[in-house]
Amino acid sequence: MRLIDILKLPKQPHSLGVIKDFLSQPLSSHDVQAAFTYYLEIAISLELFDLVYTEGEVFLKELEQQQESEYEEKILKYVIHAAIQIEAFEKAKTYIERRQQILPILKQYLGVLDEISYKKAMQIPYLDDLHKVINDIIPDQIRIFCLEEMFAIYKNDHQYEMALNSLYMLYEYDLKPKYIKEELSLLLTLKKYEEVLKLALEELRKDPKDVDALLALIEVYIDRGDLQKASSLEAENEEEFDKASDDIKKQAFPLFIKLYQKLDNKLSLDLYQKKQKAFLKSLEKKVKVEEEKKPEVVVIEKIEGKTLSHNQLLKSFELAEDLIIYSHLIDDKLLLRDYLRLFFMHLDKDIQAKEHILYIKDESPNLYHYKKERLYDKLIPTHQLDQSIIDMVLQSSQEVADIPSRLKYPKNIITQKDYEEDMMFVYAFPVGELGVYLIHFDKPIGDPGEYYDILKIVSSIVYTHLLDEKKLSKIKKDHRYYQDVLNSPILAYRQLSDTRSTYNDSAQKLLNVDKHHHLELFLRDV
């Protein structure tokens, strides 16, 4: 299956599994990001907010290691929305700031919209943010959204004049039919009866059975004392009100009861009191039925964490075994640079990388560079790590396996310049909490998993040796000290083993003998 086929999948639960299988294949960074973005889009449409937040956060950490991505902003949008929905507000705030940094100038309003969603969820006032967006150059759909939000804020805050003004601004976008009911309600609240009559009659000319307009007229007539007009309207349209929605009935029945109480019409009053009682009972039943309904549960298999592990790991097993055994056959008394040189020379027989680099924190020297059977060590200052892969891995503890041109920080730690075109592929692994192991290839790597497993094992071997070094450092230090003491010019001694006798320099001069003078010859001379 190709990326183009993935992006045509319907937004249904089964599509998530298909995309997950697609992502498990060796793919280019572009295809991975495009497919994963659509994966999140589907999950958001299915309201799988926990899934979007968890998987999106992992993926965003991986994107930090790469150069600017055309999909990062969109992924952030979905993760922000999911974080707000699951009330992970601190993380949402962090991602909002990250998205604002990468949004182009003409789309900065999208960052303000994120802030609005965040503040709305946190119940923080956001009216100023709405004004800020409206004053920007934005699409009509965004302006409509902001005006609708402003209308809701003003209405809930009982600022009815301001709410009415927001409606009139919405009418500029041909939304009058949608908000006629709201306008009638606001005009009634403000007791602008002339405007209510004018608007209601206009609507009734279009549709004589418009229950919202009829109800508004009846309410005006009752408040003005035109009870006969109100009664006539109610009687003429009784059937329409009986067929109306529950919301209309909630408003209509109390109003009609009030009307017939004022008219002292006991027959109609009893009729509407009975209707209201039956209506309230039916509402209670509806609520109980809704509560008893079990929502359909959509089970989505969580996407596995993206990994570069090769599917033919067994092929690497023999090499891994060989490296582990060889690493333990190297003399522990050797200095670290000598140990690494021997080990990488052995590794070179099977994996022909351009160079191996090991950085160790808080050590001197702290950088070991192996290339063509030679190993160089030096001390580099911390500031030279800035904007390099080593710096990125130290901060994130994430592994890297990518083409240098796609990396966020393409600086070569050896040259202190950006990677040149002859550098085809880079792997980097955190060496526990001690440092970073970096491998450069000057040949193209079609499948990153080809060397991933074995190089990860190499990083583990190096890590365990560094741990052993720390444990054995005192023993080695003591060993070197006593060796220096024994070799001091003031001490003459002979070391005797099962097969030979060895005199140090001072003993050779004192006794005038060779370094390995035989014991029998020595006794004869004595």
Side-chain angles (χ1 to χ4, degrees):
M1 184 172 280
R2 299 167 302 167
L3 177 63
I4 192 171
D5 301 317
I6 291 294
L7 299 181
K8 289 179 181 178
L9 289 171
K11 292 183 179 179
Q12 298 294 332
H14 67 83
S15 297
L16 296 178
V18 176
I19 299 176
K20 183 184 71 173
D21 292 339
F22 179 75
L23 288 170
S24 67
Q25 304 170 16
L27 301 168
S28 68
S29 295
H30 173 272
D31 287 1
V32 169
Q33 293 170 22
F36 187 77
T37 302
Y38 190 56
Y39 176 88
L40 293 186
E41 185 179 335
I42 294 174
I44 280 285
S45 69
L46 297 172
E47 298 185 356
L48 301 171
F49 301 121
D50 284 306
L51 179 67
V52 173
Y53 176 74
T54 305
E55 300 299 331
E57 193 170 34
V58 172
F59 200 84
L60 285 171
K61 286 181 181 176
E62 295 179 5
L63 282 184
E64 289 177 356
Q65 304 169 5
Q66 302 177 16
Q67 286 185 333
E68 292 182 6
S69 163
E70 60 182 295
Y71 295 98
E72 182 177 4
E73 179 264 317
K74 209 167 194 179
I75 293 171
L76 281 166
K77 170 188 170 183
Y78 296 137
V79 174
I80 289 166
H81 179 64
I84 291 172
Q85 293 297 320
I86 65 173
E87 300 183 358
F89 296 120
E90 288 297 324
K91 281 287 188 180
K93 184 68 175 173
T94 301
Y95 289 130
I96 287 170
E97 292 170 357
R98 179 170 167 183
R99 189 184 183 208
Q100 287 172 341
Q101 290 173 0
I102 61 177
L103 279 169
I105 294 175
L106 293 178
K107 289 192 175 182
Q108 283 297 312
Y109 67 87
L110 294 175
V112 183
L113 291 176
D114 288 337
E115 288 276 0
I116 288 170
S117 299
Y118 170 79
K119 289 181 178 180
K120 190 174 180 180
M122 293 286 287
Q123 297 183 344
I124 299 171
Y126 58 93
L127 186 59
D128 290 341
D129 297 290
L130 289 170
H131 284 293
K132 183 178 177 181
V133 175
I134 285 177
N135 293 330
D136 203 344
I137 301 172
I138 55 175
D140 287 348
Q141 202 56 44
I142 300 297
R143 196 176 298 277
I144 290 169
F145 164 78
C146 291
L147 289 171
E148 288 177 333
E149 286 291 316
M150 289 170 65
F151 165 72
I153 290 172
Y154 287 135
K155 183 182 175 184
N156 294 333
D157 201 31
H158 307 296
Q159 299 184 51
Y160 301 120
E161 286 286 0
M162 297 297 290
L164 202 56
N165 290 336
S166 298
L167 281 187
Y168 294 150
M169 292 173 71
L170 281 167
Y171 288 173
E172 296 175 11
Y173 300 94
D174 299 326
L175 292 172
K176 188 170 183 176
K178 181 179 178 181
Y179 288 103
I180 284 294
K181 180 179 178 182
E182 295 288 357
E183 184 182 0
L184 286 169
S185 176
L186 287 171
L187 291 171
L188 284 168
T189 304
L190 293 168
K191 298 190 181 298
K192 296 186 176 184
Y193 293 144
E194 292 301 324
E195 293 182 39
V196 173
L197 290 173
K198 180 181 177 182
L199 181 60
L201 290 171
E202 282 179 4
E203 293 303 309
L204 286 173
R205 276 193 288 272
K206 299 175 189 174
D207 179 11
K209 303 299 182 181
D210 186 331
V211 288
D212 290 312
L214 288 168
L215 203 58
L217 277 180
I218 291 170
E219 188 169 345
V220 170
Y221 291 149
I222 292 173
D223 283 358
R224 283 187 164 185
D226 294 337
L227 302 180
Q228 290 303 324
K229 285 185 178 180
S231 177
S232 298
L233 266 181
E234 182 278 316
E236 290 171 6
N237 297 281
E238 181 180 357
E239 187 178 344
E240 296 301 323
F241 286 117
D242 287 340
K243 294 188 297 184
S245 66
D246 290 346
D247 288 336
I248 293 293
K249 288 178 181 178
K250 282 180 185 178
Q251 299 175 52
F253 290 157
L255 195 62
F256 296 159
I257 289 170
K258 177 183 176 181
L259 169 65
Y260 290 116
Q261 282 175 339
K262 287 189 174 185
L263 286 171
D264 197 22
N265 185 333
K266 191 171 186 313
L267 182 63
S268 295
L269 178 62
D270 289 344
L271 174 66
Y272 275 107
Q273 285 176 337
K274 288 179 181 177
K275 281 186 178 182
Q276 186 182 43
K277 188 176 180 181
F279 170 67
L280 294 175
K281 280 186 177 180
S282 69
L283 280 183
E284 289 178 6
K285 287 181 180 179
K286 286 180 182 178
V287 171
K288 286 182 180 178
V289 170
E290 289 296 325
E291 289 177 351
E292 289 173 0
K293 280 184 179 179
K294 293 183 179 180
E296 182 182 355
V297 178
V298 179
V299 179
I300 303 296
E301 184 182 352
K302 181 180 176 183
I303 186 169
E304 296 296 327
K306 183 173 164 287
T307 174
L308 292 170
S309 185
H310 202 258
N311 57 6
Q312 295 181 338
L313 180 59
L314 289 176
K315 289 185 177 181
S316 304
F317 181 77
E318 288 186 4
L319 176 56
E321 182 184 31
D322 174 64
L323 289 173
I324 292 170
I325 293 172
Y326 182 80
S327 68
H328 284 78
L329 293 175
I330 302 174
D331 189 352
D332 286 337
K333 298 186 185 70
L334 291 176
L335 295 173
L336 179 61
R337 68 179 310 280
D338 298 322
Y339 175 93
L340 292 173
R341 178 175 173 272
L342 290 173
F343 180 72
F344 288 137
M345 283 176 63
H346 187 76
L347 178 63
D348 255 353
K349 297 175 183 176
D350 297 287
I351 297 178
Q352 286 75 45
K354 181 177 182 180
E355 52 196 354
H356 300 265
I357 300 162
L358 176 65
Y359 174 79
I360 308 172
K361 295 190 296 183
D362 305 324
E363 293 290 338
S364 180
N366 56 8
L367 190 76
Y368 296 89
H369 173 210
Y370 173 85
K371 184 176 182 180
K372 294 181 180 179
E373 299 188 356
R374 295 183 177 231
L375 191 135
Y376 310 91
D377 60 75
K378 62 179 178 178
L379 176 66
I380 65 167
T382 307
H383 71 267
Q384 289 189 9
L385 298 176
D386 294 343
Q387 305 296 308
S388 71
I389 298 175
I390 289 178
D391 182 35
M392 182 169 61
V393 175
L394 285 173
Q395 291 182 26
S396 66
S397 296
Q398 297 291 315
E399 299 160 358
V400 174
D402 213 335
I403 298 169
S405 60
R406 286 204 295 252
L407 294 171
K408 184 177 182 180
Y409 300 140
K411 174 182 171 183
N412 189 330
I413 192 65
I414 301 300
T415 63
Q416 291 295 305
K417 298 177 182 178
D418 286 355
Y419 284 110
E420 296 180 357
E421 293 182 359
D422 64 338
M423 196 69 74
M424 300 291 189
F425 208 86
V426 175
Y427 289 91
F429 300 89
V431 182
E433 71 287 351
L434 302 179
V436 177
Y437 172 47
L438 183 64
I439 309 97
H440 292 159
F441 282 89
D442 54 3
K443 62 180 180 180
I445 304 294
D447 177 10
E450 181 180 355
Y451 294 116
Y452 174 84
D453 294 314
I454 194 64
L455 290 175
K456 187 169 178 64
I457 290 172
V458 170
S459 71
S460 299
I461 291 172
V462 171
Y463 176 53
T464 55
H465 182 75
L466 292 178
L467 291 177
D468 290 341
E469 277 280 313
K470 286 184 175 294
K471 292 177 183 177
L472 296 172
S473 60
K474 188 177 185 307
I475 298 174
K476 288 184 177 182
K477 187 176 179 181
D478 291 344
H479 173 77
R480 294 189 188 104
Y481 171 74
Y482 292 126
Q483 195 70 41
D484 291 341
V485 169
L486 286 173
N487 290 331
S488 65
I490 63 171
L491 186 64
Y493 72 89
R494 177 173 62 86
Q495 183 179 351
L496 185 63
S497 66
D498 292 339
T499 58
R500 64 166 51 187
S501 176
T502 305
Y503 298 84
N504 74 341
D505 293 341
S506 297
Q508 291 174 49
K509 292 177 182 177
L510 178 65
L511 302 174
N512 192 23
V513 293
D514 296 329
K515 184 176 183 179
H516 298 295
H517 195 66
H518 197 276
L519 179 59
E520 295 296 332
L521 295 176
F522 174 75
L523 291 175
R524 184 196 66 186
D525 292 341
V526 170

